[in-house]
Amino acid sequence: MSDTPSLRFAYVTHEVRVVFGAGSLATLPAELERSGMRSVALITTPGRASDRDRVVALLGERLAGFFAGAQPQVPREVVREAQAALVHARPDALLALGGGSAIGLGKALALETGLPLAAIPTTYSGSEMTAIWGISDGKEKRTGRDPRVAPRLVIYDPVHTFDLPVAVSAASGMNAIAHCVEAAYAPEAGPVSSLLAWDGIRRLADSLPIIMESPRDHDARAEALAGAHLAGRALDMTAMGLHHKLAHILGGSFGLPHAGTHAALLPCVMAYNAPAAPEAMARIAAALRSDDAVTGIADLTRTLKTPTLAELGFTRDMIPRAATLAAAGAYPNPRPVDEAGVRSILECAMAGRPW
């Protein structure tokens, strides 16, 4: 044993109150009061009308206004449109209801206005637990970290995920697992982020197949939402690598759906990185209850019937540009990244074969 302890780690946490449990949405007025949010603007998507009506009723006089036009990838023009819609509302806080699109727009508005943000997540994106923001302009997606965008209050009510379609649940859950995987081999990985990542993978991998068969299974929905919470927290403590870089490129520059792209890429990026991250892969395999991490993830995608990149609309003629974009710039990854390597990953993800 070494005379000098080798364990070193550092991480940042953000001040946030988390409320988790079936029926917890009913606590929204009291939790907003506790957080000092007395006049809020509601941010959501067009498809969340029933949930929006429930939240509007709970908000009562606290509702200063709402914007229901959030879109995937947080287009810059939508951010401007939301700002214009809320300019006369003069809220003292923002409340995002929905998945990554609504929460992403809430973060962008928090970045632009400096207003505090609360979130009610209804998918497994995990965005509500991070200080990571992203805005796209049709050509690329810019991302960054800023403590101002991290929600101050997050209410998780699994009941409001019961009607999430199984295909969306599967893709969104794989998105959360991708957060855990990259957190597992990130250069900042430490005992806290790693515990969150392993447990997040375990909960999601165990619950998602049950959801595919029984979408309204109370325990499975709660476990998946808890796994997504852990995934978001693990991602917030660590840096994003090749997987997230590729997902942002394919979404921001090629218009592919965010969660489905994560699901299609994950087995292939893992296969590429596996030789350079054996310890992390062993722990991922254990969390998946599999003998091999890549095989375990590939088996899970088949069980969940998530689409390939080709099925999402990505074509071979897009590969060269995507590979060039992904190989540019510097970001942490266990294995060095070059255009040839990225091309092999994209070809793999188009075919759905991680070897």
Side-chain angles (χ1 to χ4, degrees):
M1 181 177 293
S2 171
D3 292 334
T4 304
S6 59
L7 182 61
R8 294 176 180 271
F9 63 94
Y11 64 88
V12 174
T13 59
H14 307 287
E15 183 178 352
V16 56
R17 177 167 170 79
V18 175
V19 182
F20 189 106
S24 60
L25 183 61
T27 69
L28 177 62
E31 292 297 339
L32 289 172
E33 180 68 25
R34 177 183 182 134
S35 299
M37 300 178 180
R38 295 178 173 82
S39 172
V40 302
L42 180 62
I43 309 299
T44 187
T45 56
R48 301 228 63 92
S50 60
D51 284 338
R52 183 186 70 221
D53 291 346
R54 170 87 189 280
V55 170
V56 167
L58 285 168
L59 289 172
E61 294 182 355
R62 290 181 186 275
L63 181 65
F66 71 85
F67 180 80
Q71 295 182 20
Q73 307 298 341
V74 194
R76 168 61 70 182
E77 60 270 23
V78 174
V79 178
R80 294 196 185 102
E81 184 181 349
Q83 282 186 275
L86 299 177
V87 69
H88 299 298
R90 301 180 67 85
D92 64 18
L94 304 165
L95 173 62
L97 167 69
S101 297
I103 295 171
L105 177 57
K107 287 180 169 184
L109 291 171
L111 186 69
E112 297 288 341
T113 65
L115 292 174
L117 175 65
I120 304 169
T122 58
T123 70
Y124 307 130
S125 76
S127 177
E128 67 281 352
M129 292 312 300
T130 80
I132 302 167
W133 59 267
I135 299 174
S136 63
D137 64 1
K139 298 179 181 178
E140 63 177 348
K141 184 172 183 179
R142 293 175 52 245
T143 62
R145 292 180 187 252
D146 193 307
R148 292 176 296 173
V149 310
R152 312 280 182 85
L153 168 67
V154 181
I155 296 179
Y156 290 97
D157 192 335
V159 172
H160 289 269
T161 64
F162 287 176
D163 294 327
L164 189 66
V166 292
V168 178
S169 299
S172 181
M174 290 301 298
N175 181 2
I177 290 176
H179 300 336
C180 295
V181 168
E182 287 220 313
Y185 52 59
E188 305 89 348
V192 179
S193 60
S194 295
L195 283 173
L196 296 172
W198 313 141
D199 199 26
I201 292 171
R202 180 185 62 80
R203 289 175 187 269
L204 287 156
D206 286 351
S207 59
L208 290 172
I210 297 173
I211 290 169
M212 296 295 289
E213 299 296 328
S214 303
R216 298 179 71 84
D217 186 293
H218 290 213
D219 291 340
R221 284 295 189 181
E223 283 293 302
L225 197 58
H229 165 70
L230 297 173
R233 180 59 92 185
L235 179 66
D236 193 51
M237 293 181 175
T238 54
M240 295 182 289
L242 173 60
H243 176 92
H244 282 80
K245 175 76 170 180
L246 272 174
H248 291 155
I249 288 170
L250 297 186
S253 299
F254 297 89
L256 268 62
H258 186 71
T261 300
H262 273 285
L265 287 171
L266 186 57
C268 299
V269 176
M270 286 177 62
Y272 179 82
N273 280 329
E279 292 184 13
M281 292 298 167
R283 295 296 297 270
I284 292 168
L288 292 167
R289 309 180 199 280
S290 173
D291 293 333
D292 176 77
V294 177
T295 301
I297 284 290
D299 288 346
L300 182 59
T301 61
R302 282 190 286 269
T303 297
L304 301 181
K305 300 178 182 179
T306 53
T308 66
L309 282 188
E311 290 168 335
L312 292 174
F314 190 74
T315 58
R316 287 195 169 274
D317 62 312
M318 297 175 180
I319 290 178
R321 179 171 173 238
T324 298
L325 291 171
Y331 49 91
N333 195 68
R335 183 176 171 182
V337 178
D338 56 28
E339 290 192 28
V342 175
R343 284 196 295 271
S344 70
I345 290 170
L346 294 173
E347 289 169 357
C348 162
M350 287 189 68
R353 293 192 303 271
W355 38 74

